[in-house]
């Protein structure tokens, strides 16, 4: 449909209305300090005192500390609640809205008086209740192994309550819901609130839940906004005068997610069409009618691309005509009808029951208030689909909260397509999954902006998310996957078709998520929690789909990928068949535009459908298992009708495939396919099976069941025409044996054996590069003409020693290496490391920016020579720039929550300060920076917002002050409205405060991505 000025106008009107009603901006005076999230309990907070009474009734323990009372309630051996009433009167404003699990099995806990504390014990844990003062600490069942411990007792102010925990030396924190751009939070403070910042740093679907690799999770039972500071003291705060938290004991992270989603509701069980490509636009404006959606539907057919559902009214004030006819025509094309809504779902009985609507997308214009309002809206839409049809509810929402996962997919909001947008979405989706939000996504290439290349790269990796959609009508070009023509169309088709074939794998993971809360998309830490590399930036831009796929999206305008971390185990390049031994880091991975870095874990048994464009198109026959034999492994396939809720009544089937093979060696590969257990409408009574077995050793022969030998074919064409048999292709990804069976009863099991072959990657003498990698670390940033220590470490994660390790460092032209220690290491044992220290210096006058260092390592193992390089990007700082970390900012107007004044000095070019979106604060408006010391300054820079254009400052005045009261003007002027950084030079002056006043700006607003102030000398 293309870009519509009317659409954008309506969008801005709605956003302004939402934010003026639901997010009252904070107006600051000239000397005011911008609002900051609390990082610890304030000094003036009241801390609970000594215990004055302790009583027990069953598994409920009531503890008094003066007027304040605390209840400790155990629900399970690994689940309990701490509930504070400062005035002794317990309240639960959330009621049944978040916590849905109310009935638990019989439980027995015991308590004993240990002198300094009371010990409340279940089979799994001991909760210590210290007496003077009242503090809590959780231990394992041995009452010796600490899980968590309060640094002080529960505390409160008039309108906030706090819990403060000690931080473990290597403790890591995850959760908080959808925190854009983040998945791991140690050293950070996150906001738990309704938030309309869709970009990096926003939190469009927050959840008052976090978990720690120390083995526990915490859920605050509240709709009150708050913040969690994971600093030296871990402080969780919510804006209410009560404290109510549920604690989960794992110790495994998956167990914690399981417990949290059992309490607050399991993620939805999506229909299969909900896992297919979705498409959205408005087709009832600008000379179109709703039936024009059929032209786009036909576009998918014409371009041979899978699609599952369409929203046909996605646009403010769009409406629809002839909906029943459009629904029928779409279903004739195997496409399910969906509707977008900006103001509710009042017509569900007709829209669902008569017109056939099965998908709902809830716009921020309706659910923008967030919290309970948004939960109720999602519930209403979800239950409407289920009330007026036999289908499963399938709803999209933003501004979700704890519990939203049981009714909705959550998406990241409305963004502009860009490389940056791809980058920050990767950790966003992982972090959401670590918060019990199993089904999350973002629009392909955003709804604004975008390009042919960013569309391809974004679609590639999102094809490995459980949910994906594109939305047209807001950008200059539409967002269907064929709009940019070749070669982009063919690449997009390749990944959409691969995704469609992988749907039995993705659907099984979705069923697991519905049952346990464990997400299909997994941060590496979820599968490898004891590997420190999975806690930090090393794995921030990659993820696992289930246990079998490792996906490393390309998020820069490059045709290579650095920093791909393969955890312990054997990994296979999906496209080439190359085999790697982990843990290791892959750099310079070749990634032309048509290649997504994709790896499969050895041992995987991946179910696949035949090529098709819709699950409704044809029978899923044959069923293929893509097998990477290595040791003993199995996969249990889940199947049901894919549409109705009959699965809840037991109408589903499971089938387990178990592969037994050598571990990295030669021998037989046995595949045991169990019977399909269970029944559902449409279940195949018999089907053919295909096995693509990755092995570089051609089998001697292949047998099935009781000694029957399958016929070998010499060409793939002959094999494809045969009813059963096998064929070996040594050129296909380092060798694949293709095995086909005739049609077999699904309720009977059978065995296939490949004789005289080997595990994936076996190729005598089976030499894989050792599992080693490099690390390059610097303390802080680099300054010109200043010595910097660079520690370069060779890590031997292999099971054998390596010898003659030599480390060298490549530096940019003009840089110097002034000193080196321990360049050579004669031997590095298995599991050990060796470090070389380099003293480097960037030349005087080096411009501020990013520069690349590169560690080169050479080494030997078993007489073979090996080498690798490990790049490290470093930032050279302009020494005249005053560090933003030393500044604070305030403004006469700000969009509180999403675009506060502090964003202008946060070092993130993708966040911004913006005056109130309501438009009530007319220009001029100003932002003031407190340097927190007096400097002699002579330069100021202004970087406009980098996405969108509202608030580009086109006329300004700049003032400085030493005391924050008396200001003098040092500059004024005008600029063109663009994204380029602006520089203001002025005569040197002493100042502590700098006030930047926007006289005129685009749309009557003011905004800034980054503001910087510069010293006039280094003295």
């Amino acid at each position: 449909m293309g870009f519509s000025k009317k659409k954008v106008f309506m969008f801005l009107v709605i956003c302004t209305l939402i934010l003026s009603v639901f997010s009252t901006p904070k107006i600051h005076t000239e000397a005011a300090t911008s609002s900051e999230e609390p990082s610890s309990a304030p000094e003036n907070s009241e801390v609970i005192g000594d215990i004055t009474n302790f009583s027990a009734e069953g598994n409920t323990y009531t503890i008094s500390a003066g007027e304040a009372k605390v209840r400790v309630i155990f629900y399970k051996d690994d689940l309990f609640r701490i509930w504070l009433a400062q005035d002794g009167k317990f309240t639960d404003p959330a009621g049944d809205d978040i916590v849905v699990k109310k009935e638990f099995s019989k439980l027995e806990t015991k308590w004993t008086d240990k002198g300094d504390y009371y010990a409340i014990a279940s089979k799994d844990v001991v909760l210590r209740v210290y007496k003077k003062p009242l503090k809590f600490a959780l231990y394992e069942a041995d009452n010796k192994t600490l899980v968590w411990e309060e640094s002080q007792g529960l505390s409160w102010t008039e309108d906030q309550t706090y819990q403060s925990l000690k931080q473990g030396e290597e403790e890591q924190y995850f959760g908080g819901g959808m925190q854009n751009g983040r998945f791991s939070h140690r050293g950070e403070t996150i906001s738990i609130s309704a938030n309309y910042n869709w970009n990096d740093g926003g939190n469009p679907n927050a959840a008052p839940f976090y978990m720690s690799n120390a083995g526990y999770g915490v859920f605050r039972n509240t709709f009150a906004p708050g913040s969690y500071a994971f600093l030296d003291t871990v402080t969780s705060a919510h804006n209410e005068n009560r404290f109510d938290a549920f604690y989960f004991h794992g110790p495994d992270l998956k167990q914690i997610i399981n417990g949290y989603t059992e309490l607050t509701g399991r993620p939805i069980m999506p229909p299969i069409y909900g896992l297919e490509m979705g498409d959205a636009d408005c087709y009832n404006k600008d000379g179109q009618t709703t039936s024009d959606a059929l032209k786009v539907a036909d576009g998918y057919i014409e371009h041979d691309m899978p699609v599952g559902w369409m929203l046909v009214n996605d646009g403010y004030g769009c409406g629809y005509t002839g909906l029943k006819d459009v629904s029928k025509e779409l279903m004739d094309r195997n496409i399910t009808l969906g509707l977008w809504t900006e103001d509710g779902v009042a017509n569900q009985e007709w829209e669902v029951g008569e017109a056939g609507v099965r998908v709902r997308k809830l716009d921020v214009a309706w659910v923008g208030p967030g919290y309970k309002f948004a939960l109720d809206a999602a519930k209403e839409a979800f239950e409407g689909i289920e009330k007026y049809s036999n289908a499963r509810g399938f709803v999209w929402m933003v501004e979700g909260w704890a519990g939203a996962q049981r009714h909705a997919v959550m998406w990241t909001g409305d963004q502009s397509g860009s490389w940056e947008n791809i980058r920050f979405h990767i950790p966003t989706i992982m972090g959401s999954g670590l918060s019990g939000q199993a089904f999350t996504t973002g629009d392909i290439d955003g709804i604004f902006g975008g390009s042919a290349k960013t569309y391809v790269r974004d679609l590639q990796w999102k094809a490995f998310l459980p949910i994906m959609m594109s939305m047209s009508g807001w950008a200059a070009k539409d967002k269907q996957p064929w709009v940019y023509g070749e070669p982009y169309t063919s690449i997009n088709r390749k990944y959409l078709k691969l995704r469609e074939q992988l749907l039995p794998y993705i659907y099984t993971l979705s069923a697991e998520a519905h049952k346990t809360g464990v997400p299909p998309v997994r941060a590496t830490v979820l599968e490898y929690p004891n590997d420190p590399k999975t806690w930090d930036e090393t794995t921030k831009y990659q993820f696992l789909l289930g246990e079998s796929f490792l996906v490393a999206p390309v998020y820069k305008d490059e045709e290579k990928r650095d920093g791909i971390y393969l955890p312990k185990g054997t990994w296979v390049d999906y496209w080439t068949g190359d085999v790697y031994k982990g843990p290791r880091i892959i750099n310079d991975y070749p990634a032309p535009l048509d290649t997504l870095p994709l790896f499969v874990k050895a041992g995987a048994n991946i179910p696949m459908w035949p090529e098709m464009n819709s699950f409704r198109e044809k029978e899923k026959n044959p069923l293929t298992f893509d097998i990477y034999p290595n040791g003993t492994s199995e996969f249990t396939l889940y199947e049901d009708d894919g549409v109705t809720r009959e699965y809840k009544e037991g109408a589903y089937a499971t089938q387990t495939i178990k592969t037994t093979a050598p571990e990295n060696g030669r021998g037989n590969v046995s595949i045991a396919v169990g019977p399909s257990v269970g029944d559902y409408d449409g279940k195949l009574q018999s089907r053919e099976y295909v096995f693509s077995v990755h092995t570089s050793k051609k089998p001697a022969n292949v047998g099935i069941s009781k000694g029957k030998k399958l016929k070998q074919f010499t060409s793939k064409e002959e094999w494809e025409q045969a009813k059963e048999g096998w064929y070996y292709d040594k050129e296909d990804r380092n060798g694949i044996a293709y095995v086909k069976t005739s049609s077999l009863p699904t309720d009977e099991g059978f065995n296939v054996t490949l004789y005289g072959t080997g595990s994936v990657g076996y190729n005598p003498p089976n030499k894989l590069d050792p599992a080693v990698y490099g690390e390059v670390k610097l303390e802080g940033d680099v300054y010109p003409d200043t010595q910097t220590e660079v520690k370069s470490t060779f890590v031997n994660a292999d099971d054998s020693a390596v010898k003659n390790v030599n480390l060298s460092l490549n530096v940019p032209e003009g840089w110097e290496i002034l000193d080196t220690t321990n360049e050579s290491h004669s031997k590095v044992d298995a599991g050990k490391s060796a470090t070389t220290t380099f003293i480097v210096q960037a030349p005087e006058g080096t411009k501020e920016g990013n520069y690349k260092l590169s560690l080169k390592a050479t080494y030997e193992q078993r007489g073979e020579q090996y080498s690798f390089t490990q790049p490290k990007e470093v930032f050279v700082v302009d020494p005249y720039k005053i560090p933003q970390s030393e500044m604070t900012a305030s403004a006469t107007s700000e969009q509180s929550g999403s675009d506060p004044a502090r964003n202008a000095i946060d070092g993130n070019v993708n966040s911004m300060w913006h005056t109130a979106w309501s438009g009530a604060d007319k220009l001029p408006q100003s932002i003031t920076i407190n340097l927190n010391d007096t400097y002699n300054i002579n330069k100021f820079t202004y970087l406009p917002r980098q996405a969108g254009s509202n608030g580009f400052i086109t006329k300004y005045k700049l003032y400085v002050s030493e005391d924050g009261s008396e200001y003098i003007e040092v500059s004024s002027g005008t600029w063109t409205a663009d994204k380029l950084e602006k520089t203001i030079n002025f005569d040197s002056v002493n100042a502590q405060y700098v006030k930047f006043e926007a006289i005129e700006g685009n749309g009557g607003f003011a905004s800034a991505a980054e503001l910087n102030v510069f010293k006039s000398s280094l003295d």
Side-chain angles (χ1 to χ4, degrees):
M1 179 178 172
F3 179 79
S4 165
K5 290 183 178 179
K6 187 174 182 181
K7 272 187 148 183
V8 173
F9 173 75
M10 285 299 298
F11 174 73
L12 293 173
V13 168
I14 294 295
C15 283
T16 299
L17 181 62
I18 294 165
L19 291 161
S20 63
V21 173
F22 302 129
S23 184
T24 305
K26 295 182 179 178
I27 309 302
H28 299 279
T29 62
E30 297 294 341
T33 305
S34 65
S35 58
E36 296 285 349
E37 301 288 356
S39 60
S40 61
E43 292 183 2
N44 65 343
S45 62
E46 183 174 351
V47 182
I48 199 164
D50 297 344
I51 291 179
T52 54
N53 189 59
F54 180 94
S55 63
E57 184 177 348
N59 297 311
T60 298
Y61 300 84
T62 302
I63 305 145
S64 298
E67 184 181 11
K69 290 186 177 180
V70 178
R71 279 183 186 160
V72 174
I73 307 172
F74 269 77
Y75 298 95
K76 299 171 64 179
D77 288 311
D78 58 1
L79 170 63
F80 63 91
R81 181 182 191 178
I82 296 178
W83 190 1
L84 166 69
Q86 295 96 309
D87 60 1
K89 299 175 183 178
F90 293 95
T91 60
D92 186 2
D96 296 337
D97 290 317
I98 305 177
V99 174
V100 295
K101 175 74 172 177
K102 300 293 184 179
E103 300 295 327
F104 296 90
S105 300
K106 186 177 179 181
L107 173 69
E108 181 181 353
T109 59
K110 297 179 179 180
W111 71 274
T112 54
D113 188 337
K114 297 288 188 177
D116 290 341
Y117 64 89
Y118 298 101
I120 305 173
S122 72
K123 291 180 180 179
D124 290 350
V125 297
V126 173
L127 180 66
R128 292 186 182 183
V129 186
Y130 288 98
K131 298 178 180 180
K132 295 183 179 182
L134 170 55
K135 289 196 303 181
F136 294 99
L138 185 67
Y139 283 76
E140 299 286 354
D142 61 8
N143 198 22
K144 296 178 181 178
T145 307
L146 179 66
V147 179
W148 59 257
E149 178 182 13
E150 289 185 325
S151 58
Q152 69 171 29
L154 298 174
S155 59
W156 60 88
T157 60
E158 186 176 346
D159 55 5
Q160 284 191 317
T161 52
Y162 308 87
Q163 184 176 45
S164 302
L165 303 182
K166 296 179 181 179
Q167 183 178 84
E169 185 176 347
E170 293 187 334
E171 192 168 0
Q172 309 296 320
Y173 306 92
F174 313 97
M178 184 179 284
Q179 300 284 331
N180 283 359
R182 293 154 290 170
F183 84 100
S184 183
H185 306 308
R186 184 183 173 100
E188 304 291 338
T189 298
I190 62 174
S191 176
I192 308 297
S193 63
N195 175 270
Y196 312 99
N197 179 2
W198 312 135
N199 296 311
D200 188 13
N203 44 281
N205 293 282
F209 163 77
Y210 74 89
M211 60 181 178
S212 160
N213 66 344
Y216 70 91
V218 184
F219 157 63
R220 290 284 287 266
N221 180 33
T222 182
F223 281 117
S227 66
Y228 299 161
F230 300 104
L231 308 177
D232 290 342
T233 296
V234 177
T235 304
S236 58
H238 279 273
N239 301 347
E240 60 178 355
N241 58 2
R242 59 186 293 277
F243 179 91
D244 187 1
F246 289 78
Y247 298 81
F248 311 90
H249 175 259
D252 182 80
L253 294 176
K254 290 183 180 180
Q255 291 173 285
I256 297 168
I257 295 173
N258 179 46
Y260 168 68
T261 57
E262 178 188 35
L263 187 71
T264 62
R266 298 299 193 191
I268 63 169
M269 180 61 188
I272 292 182
Y273 53 78
L275 303 181
E276 296 178 314
M277 174 74 173
D279 189 284
D281 200 351
C282 171
Y283 299 97
N284 197 40
K285 290 172 111 176
D286 301 327
Q288 289 188 317
T289 61
T290 307
S291 62
D292 284 299
L294 301 176
K295 298 176 183 177
V296 172
D298 288 338
Y300 281 94
I301 297 172
E302 176 187 346
H303 292 92
D304 187 25
M305 290 183 170
V307 65
W309 52 280
M310 290 181 66
L311 302 177
V312 298
N313 71 328
D314 201 334
Y316 292 103
C318 182
Y320 54 74
T321 58
L323 195 63
K324 287 182 67 173
D325 291 338
V326 171
S327 178
K328 180 181 181 303
E329 290 287 340
L330 287 176
M331 188 53 67
D332 288 345
R333 295 162 173 79
N334 296 319
I335 300 172
T336 299
L337 174 67
L339 288 180
W340 169 96
T341 180
E342 65 190 274
D343 56 7
V345 285
N347 300 318
Q348 292 214 86
E349 184 172 2
W350 183 83
E351 290 173 343
V352 176
E354 298 292 329
V357 171
R358 298 292 182 269
V359 183
R360 291 283 193 187
K361 185 183 177 192
L362 315 183
D363 194 82
V364 67
W366 183 32
V367 299
Y371 308 110
K372 183 180 185 306
F373 186 96
L375 252 61
D376 288 345
K379 179 180 179 181
E380 182 182 2
F382 182 90
E383 291 183 347
I385 294 174
E386 297 203 339
K387 179 178 180 181
Y388 297 111
S389 76
N390 67 347
R392 302 169 198 172
F394 189 61
V395 174
W396 284 51
M397 74 177 300
V398 72
E399 297 309 330
W401 194 251
Q405 72 275 357
R406 62 183 183 255
H407 289 133
V409 169
M410 283 166 270
W411 94 99
T412 57
D414 300 334
Q415 294 101 12
S416 184
S418 66
W419 296 107
E420 166 62 16
N421 187 55
I422 297 173
R423 181 199 65 78
F424 83 73
H425 266 82
I426 304 165
T428 299
I429 302 303
M430 291 192 296
S432 300
L434 292 170
S435 306
Q437 300 171 345
F439 300 101
T440 56
T441 193
D443 299 299
I444 297 172
D445 204 31
I447 68 170
F448 310 111
S451 67
K453 290 170 73 174
T454 55
Y455 190 102
V456 166
R457 288 302 197 192
D458 208 24
L459 182 144
Q460 280 177 352
W461 78 274
K462 285 178 177 169
F464 289 84
L465 303 185
I467 307 291
M468 64 186 306
M469 180 185 77
S470 68
M471 183 195 298
S472 298
W474 300 92
K477 291 182 77 72
D478 279 347
K479 297 287 185 173
Q480 282 83 26
W482 60 82
V483 295
Y484 288 105
E486 295 297 345
Y488 314 106
T489 298
S490 292
I491 299 172
N492 294 334
R493 180 187 300 113
K494 166 185 170 180
Y495 285 92
L496 288 173
K497 282 185 171 291
L498 175 58
R499 173 191 178 81
E500 195 77 16
Q501 287 190 272
L502 288 172
L503 280 182
Y505 178 73
I506 297 172
Y507 193 57
T508 297
L509 296 176
S510 299
E512 180 184 354
H514 179 60
K515 182 179 180 181
T516 68
V518 176
V521 169
R522 301 172 187 176
T524 319
V525 69
L526 205 54
E527 296 294 338
Y528 302 89
N530 298 320
D531 182 347
K533 286 291 183 186
T534 70
W535 304 344
D536 59 22
E537 299 281 323
T538 306
T539 58
K540 187 174 182 178
Y541 300 114
Q542 62 183 63
F543 63 90
L544 300 168
L545 179 62
E547 298 179 9
S548 297
F549 284 105
L550 188 150
V551 185
V554 177
Y555 55 92
K556 298 178 182 179
D557 189 7
E558 298 176 343
E559 294 200 345
K560 69 178 182 68
R561 178 63 152 82
D562 288 332
I564 302 172
Y565 181 70
L566 303 181
K568 185 176 182 179
T570 302
W571 297 87
V572 184
D573 186 319
Y574 186 79
W575 309 111
T576 67
D578 291 343
V579 181
Y580 299 87
K581 187 178 182 181
R584 67 179 299 150
I585 297 173
I586 300 177
N587 296 302
D588 292 319
Y589 178 90
L593 189 61
D594 68 344
T595 301
L596 168 74
L598 181 65
F599 300 85
V600 183
K601 187 176 182 180
N605 302 283
I606 301 169
M608 300 180 72
W609 284 342
E611 182 181 310
M612 61 181 76
N613 290 336
S614 167
F615 82 103
R616 293 186 169 102
E617 185 177 301
K618 58 185 177 183
E619 284 189 344
K620 288 70 171 182
N621 193 12
L623 178 66
T624 294
F625 282 97
D626 195 26
I627 297 175
Y628 298 76
N630 187 280
T632 300
S633 60
E634 64 180 47
F635 183 88
T636 299
L637 174 70
Y638 174 90
E639 298 175 290
D640 61 26
D641 65 29
V643 175
T644 75
R645 304 186 299 279
E646 294 299 313
Y647 75 92
K648 292 184 177 181
E649 307 302 320
Y652 64 87
T654 59
Q655 186 174 26
T656 298
I657 175 174
K658 182 177 181 179
T659 300
T660 304
E663 291 189 12
N664 302 315
R666 182 175 179 175
N668 298 339
V669 173
S670 176
I671 305 167
V673 180
S676 176
V677 179
D679 196 16
Y680 59 89
D681 186 33
K683 178 182 176 181
L684 295 177
Q685 299 306 303
S686 64
R687 62 183 166 203
E688 302 167 16
Y689 294 85
V690 172
F691 304 94
S692 51
V693 183
H694 295 251
T695 174
S696 53
K697 176 69 171 66
K698 179 182 177 181
N701 56 71
V702 177
I704 185 170
S705 292
K706 297 180 180 179
K708 179 181 177 181
K709 185 177 179 180
L710 292 177
K711 181 178 179 180
Q712 178 185 353
F713 295 91
T714 57
S715 73
K716 196 168 186 179
E717 292 72 24
E718 289 180 315
W719 174 80
E720 287 174 339
Q721 295 300 315
K723 289 186 177 181
E724 62 178 13
W726 69 281
Y727 162 74
Y728 184 74
D729 188 342
K730 66 179 181 180
E731 304 299 328
D732 191 352
R733 289 167 284 178
N734 284 333
I736 298 179
Y738 290 95
V739 181
K740 179 195 295 186
T741 76
S742 58
S743 187
L744 300 173
T746 54
D747 61 356
E748 296 179 9
F750 62 94
N751 294 283
V752 170
T753 302
L754 288 73
Y755 296 96
T757 181
S759 58
V760 62
Y762 172 71
N763 185 13
N766 189 26
K767 291 182 179 177
L768 298 179
D769 284 2
V772 301
Y773 58 88
E775 296 177 336
V776 182
K777 295 183 178 180
L778 294 78
E779 291 295 331
D781 294 320
V782 178
Y783 289 85
D785 201 30
T786 302
Q787 293 183 10
T788 300
E789 184 178 87
V790 180
K791 289 187 176 181
S792 300
T793 302
F794 177 97
V795 180
N796 182 9
D798 203 66
D799 50 13
S800 298
V802 298
K803 297 180 178 180
N804 299 326
V805 176
N806 287 280
L807 303 180
S808 59
L809 188 69
N810 294 323
V811 297
E813 185 177 355
W815 290 40
E816 292 183 272
I817 298 178
L818 303 177
D819 193 17
T820 305
T821 60
N822 301 322
E823 280 184 285
S824 299
H825 307 269
S826 60
K827 182 180 180 182
V828 181
D829 289 327
K832 301 297 183 179
S833 62
T835 298
T836 298
T837 300
F838 301 91
I839 305 299
V840 304
Q841 184 169 301
E844 185 178 4
T846 301
K847 292 183 178 180
E848 183 172 275
N850 291 312
Y851 295 82
K852 182 180 283 188
L853 308 180
S854 183
L855 167 67
K856 182 176 181 181
T858 60
Y859 62 100
E860 298 176 13
Q861 189 184 70
R862 300 187 181 95
E864 296 287 333
Q865 303 283 333
Y866 299 95
S867 67
F868 68 80
T869 59
Q870 179 59 49
K872 173 68 175 182
E873 193 171 81
V874 299
F875 188 76
V876 175
V877 178
D878 184 335
Y880 293 89
K881 181 190 289 186
I882 299 172
Q884 290 178 322
S885 59
E886 298 177 4
M887 305 174 182
T888 56
S890 61
T892 55
S893 174
E894 68 177 10
Q895 183 53 50
S896 180
S898 60
D899 304 317
R902 64 177 177 270
N903 284 3
I905 56 169
D906 65 357
N908 181 2
V909 299
N910 300 298
S911 66
M912 66 174 173
W913 160 67
H914 197 291
T915 52
W917 289 11
S918 67
D921 299 333
K922 304 300 181 184
L923 298 185
Q925 299 291 334
S926 63
I927 180 170
T928 299
I929 297 173
N930 181 354
L931 305 177
N932 286 306
D933 200 352
T934 299
Y935 295 88
N936 190 262
I937 62 174
N938 67 351
K939 188 169 79 170
F940 178 89
T941 59
Y942 160 62
L943 180 69
R945 62 185 296 182
Q946 297 299 288
S949 60
N950 260 354
F952 281 172
I953 296 172
T954 55
K955 187 175 183 179
Y956 74 90
K957 288 185 178 181
L958 188 70
Y959 305 85
V960 299
S961 170
E962 288 192 74
D963 59 8
S965 298
E966 299 293 329
Y967 284 85
I968 60 171
E969 181 180 328
V970 294
S971 182
S972 63
T974 60
W975 290 315
T976 56
D978 58 39
K979 299 177 181 179
L980 298 178
E981 186 174 62
K982 324 296 185 199
T983 299
I984 303 172
N985 294 299
F986 49 89
D987 292 336
S988 298
V989 61
N990 288 332
Q992 180 176 334
Y993 300 87
V994 179
K995 182 170 69 174
F996 181 44
E997 185 176 40
I999 309 298
E1000 296 177 5
N1002 271 12
F1005 300 98
S1007 63
E1010 289 296 300
L1011 301 175
N1012 279 288
V1013 183
F1014 297 78
K1015 297 177 286 188
S1016 58
S1017 71
L1018 298 180
D1019 294 337

